[in-house]
Amino acid sequence: MTQDVRVDALEHLRRLCLALPEVTERLSHGEPTWFVRGKKTFVTSADHHHDDRSAFWCAAGPGVQETLVAQAPENYFRPPYVGHRGWLGVYLDVPVDWDVVADLVEDAYRVIAPKTLVARLDVRVADPADLPQSSAHGDL
């Protein structure tokens, strides 16, 4: 994976995460990481973490990690440290379906975010006209 492709993938992931309510970004363990209300991690970049692969890790609902890893191990994996809690690893150094990634990021947010923020997200999703042009499901 070239440096330009890696940067483009990170920028795409960044736009998806920051489009969600009250999400901030800061480095954690040397990697870009996205937090809900500055406290709860829901997505972290994992560029060359213990291997030569570019990926991200995200929270996932019950059974999602097992299903996706079994169905497409070339795209998904059980990440170290958080995999035992059901988090999902998503490779970014393979052809990426960004619509699927957008859904995974939104689902991760829904797993971690407080109910009040999920309710705000539901209002945004219910009325697509209210979404900004660069939304998670917009023209990325």
Side-chain angles (χ1 to χ4, degrees):
M1 177 179 233
T2 68
Q3 180 65 23
D4 289 342
V5 172
R6 191 175 308 123
V7 169
D8 288 347
L10 178 60
E11 286 304 315
H12 207 129
L13 181 61
R14 177 175 284 125
R15 284 194 306 268
L16 292 172
C17 292
L18 293 176
L20 298 166
E22 296 191 38
V23 169
T24 57
E25 176 183 349
R26 69 177 182 270
L27 290 179
S28 179
H29 305 293
E31 300 283 1
T33 304
W34 292 272
F35 297 84
V36 178
R37 289 194 170 154
K39 295 179 183 177
K40 295 183 177 187
T41 304
F42 75 104
V43 173
T44 187
S45 176
D47 189 24
H48 299 93
H49 193 82
H50 297 297
D51 59 20
D52 62 350
R53 304 292 307 266
S54 182
F56 72 92
W57 305 344
C58 62
V64 171
Q65 177 205 90
E66 295 82 5
T67 299
L68 291 179
V69 170
Q71 288 177 348
E74 67 280 4
N75 294 329
Y76 305 105
F77 63 98
R78 181 181 170 160
Y81 312 114
V82 293
H84 69 281
R85 294 189 316 208
W87 280 52
L88 177 67
V90 181
Y91 290 119
L92 295 174
D93 56 3
V94 297
V96 176
D97 182 335
W98 286 103
D99 290 333
V100 171
V101 171
D103 289 341
L104 291 171
V105 167
E106 183 179 308
D107 291 347
Y109 180 87
R110 289 176 180 281
V111 167
I112 298 298
K115 290 178 184 178
T116 55
L117 291 182
V118 171
R120 283 177 46 193
L121 181 62
D122 288 340
V123 169
R124 288 175 50 183
V125 171
D127 188 359
D130 291 339
L131 291 173
Q133 289 296 322
S134 62
S135 72
H137 300 287
D139 58 342
L140 298 181

